[in-house]
Amino acid sequence: PQSTGTVQKQFLLNGIHKAGDVVLGGLFFVHFFSVLPELSFTSEPQEPICHGFNVLGFRHAQTMAFAIDEINRNSKLLPNVTLGYSIYDNCLTIGVGFRGALSMASGQGDQFLLDNNCTAPPPVLGIVGDSSSTHSIAISAVLGLYRVPMVSYFATCSCLSDRQRFPSFFRTIPSDAFQVRAMLQILKRFGWTWVGLLISDDDYGLHAARSLQSDLAQSGGGCLAYLEVLPWSNDTAELRRIVNVMKKSTARVVIGFTHESQMINVMEEVVKQNVTGLQWIASEAWTAATGLQTPDLIPYLGGTLGIAIRRGEIPGLRDFLLRIHPDTDPYSNYKNNIVRQFWEYTFQCRFSPPPAEWLDTGGALCTGQEDLESLATTFLDMSDLRPEYNVYKAVYALAYALDDMLQCVPGRGPFSGHSCASLQKLQPWQLLYYLERISFTTAFGDQVSFDENGDALPIYDVMNWRWLPDGSTMVQNVGVVKKSASTGEELTLDEDRIFWNFEPKKPPQSVCSESCPPGTRIARRKGEPVCCFDCIPCSEGQISNETDSMECISCPEDFWSSPQRDHCIPKTIEFLSYHEPLGICLTTASLLGTLICTIVLGVFIYHRSTPMVRANNSELSFQLLLSLKLCFLCSLLFIGHPRLWTCQLRHAAFGISFVLCVSCILVKTMVVLAVFKASKPGGGASLKWFGAVQQRGTVLVLTSIQAAICTAWLVSSSPAPHKNTQYHSDKIVYECAIGSTVGFAVLLGYIGFLAIVSFLLAFFARKLPDNFNEAKLITFSMLIFCAVWVAFIPAYINSPGKYADAVEVFAILASTFGLLVALFGQKCYIILLRPERNTKKAVMGRSTSKKSTFYQ
């Protein structure tokens, strides 16, 4: 039996329809404006009044029809199944689009077999559309309750990725979230960190602004200098205020996340105020807008970089469009048949019966035989198929899902009891299951699949507005932004092809603050965006080796910052070196003293039989000269790179050498006192305690005590090389740490004790006969010695680094030279220059038996 299907609806909607075993719905904006009728409870059908025909919107609708026709001719995809369609015009009005969607989805619970006698289009299993994010939010929220699949080709709002709110929504255009990230990739490529943002006052602009602000904050890749919401109306005062903000801002890059009509309004104000020098970044909504590519606007918009929907190739579409005819849809009446409306708009004619006023004005009648190909129209331009390519992919996505569903093997299905769906009892939610899992590749080579949020694999073309010499504009493809599972988000740009509307032809700079070079760190300005900062040089000892470092890092202990503070260099190593002037002077003085001692010793040996040498106790004099030579030589251990053996030996050699020297002086002083005491009546017994053996023994015992002190010091807490970084932060002072302060103090104290005893004994003997003034010389020498070492202690303590060693060497040399000159200067003078005084009579003054004994 034949049945008649009817669909009750309150409004007549513009559209086109085609019968099929399975019907797919479509929502496209074929008209720009509409006036809705008042609601009534009459049964008479009413229709919205739509005007302002959109040729490109009509081409989008015909692309869906072409894709379905192509699938029906494909024997491998959906064999034995004919697809039909119900396509409605939403007139760019949410109310009209919503009613169209409900009209297509009504009756979906009924089981039906399409019969040719049914005069109304049947319910649909999936809808391609809507083009608007706001429309898609409203429609998908309702259709999602019944799990009716909706695949949009142009709705980009990131909010539609919310699977909780929109469980049956899919799209073949990337989400605004990816479009925002694509823009961030461009900003990063050219180093633009300070940008302005203009948005539309709708879901499209507001959600994009939210995503952009969030992604900028997370990535740290830039800041918004300003964010302005463009009015829908041509509000002159508000537009003037917005353009003033742009004019005063230092940001030279402006992102426009808005629609063509709003951009036209704001650009008219930009022209009025002559705001030049801006680099525009366009969202996909106006990247290819011809209304902005005018001779008046292109001097300001030339060089614009825009994100565009992926261009595709659809072979056969042009031939299909040429076969369009006003009588191809038997289901639509005259008034709401969009093919006829297209025909009338294109050929400026009316079908019969036309309105009376049309004939009165001389309007022509449409015959249906008009030739589309003879007209120069963008309708047949196949060079830039972008939304059409998304429509094409959306239809194929539904077709592949349906094909997978019909290939289900009974008993292995995904539904209850492992059942499969059947064509006769097909439900939209069953198609939804397979739509979530489809994956196919278009003839153009693009892979189509949906992620867990219903978003397709994102890909965008990057477009550039080239200002041609004749004043026209060419929108050229200069790159692509895409996301893949293997490489993630990737921007590919052919920078050589990009036209820059600046002199020189290079990308502009748009930063709030110039990048901080290596050697500095970023210091945020209080109360300003993070992109606005000052560059503070790193402190001494710290570096930053990257641009825009947030903090400076300290160099390792043995390194110091370079003058530019951009890398660490080894610290200068400082010690008392043989190669520096101070070290050379001290070494020269030490060797000179050693040479003088050797010469004096040679003179005394050569003249050992003369009265002057014999009268001065030649053996002790020889020992004293040898000890002085050791004192001169030990100072060399304080010069040069400190090593363990030099650190251990220097103070031990110094202590023992000086004790040997002072011991000889002490014994010499004691002998002098004993001799003159023996010259007095009854004093001869004192000499027996100061024979040669006793003298040697006394010197040996006194020196051995110092040797024991040094040994205890070296064993308990030995001096060792030490890298001192406390004196100079940029230098390493190599020095010998004394190990034990007590040991060093005992060593010096012992020398000082012997020196004081020698000084006191010599002082008591200062009034001996003038001709034999050895005691006076000893007193003077000890006075010099003590003065030098008393001055040494504060100078040593307050001298940093190598200068402490230099002070100690100077003290050694000064005291040694003082002893050498005081004790041997006069004697050498007499021996070498006044030999007439080097006689027994001159030395002794008078002869006595006791004196004679000492003289021997």
Side-chain angles (χ1 to χ4, degrees), residues 190-366:
F190 296 109
W192 297 330
T193 58
W194 188 236
V195 298
L197 178 62
L198 305 180
I199 62 170
S200 57
D201 190 11
D202 57 6
D203 293 312
Y204 175 73
L206 296 175
H207 281 89
R210 193 174 299 124
S211 295
L212 186 63
Q213 289 175 308
S214 174
D215 289 352
L216 279 175
Q218 290 179 8
S219 67
C223 308
L224 290 182
Y226 54 85
L227 189 160
E228 296 294 339
V229 180
L230 298 180
W232 282 103
S233 61
N234 193 6
D235 186 339
T236 305
E238 178 65 7
L239 291 172
R240 185 183 301 113
R241 185 195 65 79
I242 292 173
V243 174
N244 276 330
V245 171
M246 296 166 56
K247 190 174 183 179
K248 294 176 181 178
S249 174
T250 56
R252 299 187 66 190
V253 174
V254 182
I255 298 174
F257 238 108
T258 181
H259 302 284
E260 178 180 357
S261 59
Q262 294 172 301
M263 276 301 300
I264 290 174
N265 291 337
V266 77
M267 287 309 301
E268 288 175 350
E269 184 63 32
V270 167
V271 173
K272 286 180 183 178
Q273 298 193 30
N274 193 29
V275 182
T276 58
L278 296 180
Q279 173 64 49
W280 292 86
I281 297 181
S283 67
E284 40 75 31
W286 63 277
T287 292
T290 55
L292 290 164
Q293 299 169 24
T294 63
D296 292 337
L297 299 182
I298 198 60
Y300 301 88
L301 288 172
T304 294
L305 290 173
I307 302 296
I309 302 167
R310 175 70 165 167
R311 188 188 70 84
E313 299 285 349
I314 308 178
L317 176 60
R318 189 175 190 277
D319 294 335
F320 178 83
L321 297 178
L322 288 173
R323 294 197 298 271
I324 290 176
H325 195 271
D327 298 325
T328 54
D329 184 6
Y331 295 101
S332 297
N333 60 32
Y334 161 71
K335 289 187 176 181
N336 60 11
N337 186 313
I338 59 175
V339 175
R340 291 193 174 192
Q341 294 167 1
F342 162 73
W343 206 267
E344 290 181 341
Y345 173 82
T346 302
F347 295 104
Q348 293 298 301
C349 62
R350 291 296 181 93
F351 284 97
S352 178
E357 62 272 13
W358 177 261
L359 295 177
D360 293 341
T361 58
L365 290 174
C366 297

Side-chain angles (χ1 to χ4, degrees), residues 461-728:
D461 288 336
V462 181
M463 310 303 291
N464 177 233
W465 290 21
R466 176 177 288 275
W467 187 9
L468 299 177
D470 61 1
S472 61
T473 306
M474 179 178 69
V475 180
Q476 60 181 359
N477 190 327
V478 294
V480 65
V481 189
K482 61 182 178 181
K483 181 179 181 180
S484 64
S486 58
T487 61
E489 295 175 9
E490 181 181 356
L491 169 66
T492 304
L493 276 182
D494 186 356
E495 295 187 31
D496 293 336
R497 296 186 61 203
I498 298 178
F499 169 78
W500 301 106
N501 196 24
F502 302 92
E503 291 296 339
K505 299 297 183 181
K506 292 182 179 180
Q509 281 193 327
S510 187
V511 294
C512 181
S513 299
E514 293 291 339
S515 294
C516 290
T520 62
R521 66 174 178 84
I522 289 176
R524 304 291 187 199
R525 295 177 186 168
K526 188 175 181 180
E528 296 188 31
V530 295
C531 296
C532 301
F533 50 81
D534 296 314
C535 298
I536 306 299
C538 292
S539 303
E540 289 188 348
Q542 295 185 325
I543 64 159
S544 64
N545 54 9
E546 296 178 351
T547 301
D548 290 335
S549 293
M550 295 302 299
E551 59 182 17
C552 299
I553 57 176
S554 298
C555 290
E557 183 180 5
D558 292 349
F559 290 81
W560 191 246
S561 55
S562 65
Q564 295 77 25
R565 307 284 198 274
D566 58 355
H567 67 282
C568 293
I569 56 176
K571 287 183 177 179
T572 303
I573 297 175
E574 184 179 87
F575 56 87
L576 189 57
S577 170
Y578 288 109
H579 305 291
E580 61 178 298
L582 181 58
I584 293 173
C585 291
L586 295 176
T587 302
T588 302
S590 175
L591 296 176
L592 180 61
T594 304
L595 179 61
I596 293 173
C597 282
T598 303
I599 293 172
V600 172
L601 181 61
V603 169
F604 268 57
I605 292 173
Y606 185 77
H607 296 90
R608 62 184 177 279
S609 59
T610 62
M612 179 61 71
V613 176
R614 295 180 67 189
N616 280 279
N617 198 333
S618 59
E619 183 176 343
L620 280 177
S621 295
F622 294 156
Q623 291 179 3
L624 182 57
L625 285 169
L626 287 173
S627 66
L628 290 173
K629 183 185 291 187
L630 290 176
C631 289
F632 279 120
L633 291 175
C634 78
S635 65
L636 297 176
L637 294 173
F638 291 84
I639 306 172
H641 196 296
R643 304 184 187 281
L644 180 60
W645 68 271
T646 59
C647 289
Q648 292 175 334
L649 190 58
R650 60 167 59 171
H651 287 107
F654 155 70
I656 294 173
S657 299
F658 267 86
V659 165
L660 177 61
C661 175
V662 176
S663 297
C664 291
I665 295 173
L666 178 60
V667 171
K668 197 177 179 84
T669 306
M670 295 170 65
V671 169
V672 170
L673 288 173
V675 168
F676 282 93
K677 186 177 181 182
S679 65
K680 298 179 180 180
S686 60
L687 280 176
K688 67 180 181 179
W689 299 104
F690 292 96
V693 175
Q694 287 82 358
Q695 294 174 24
R696 297 191 200 103
T698 303
V699 171
L700 180 61
V701 169
L702 293 175
T703 305
S704 297
I705 293 173
Q706 183 73 306
I709 293 173
C710 292
T711 302
W713 180 16
L714 294 177
V715 171
S716 63
S717 183
S718 173
H722 171 64
K723 294 190 294 185
N724 194 323
T725 57
Q726 303 301 317
Y727 296 136
H728 305 284

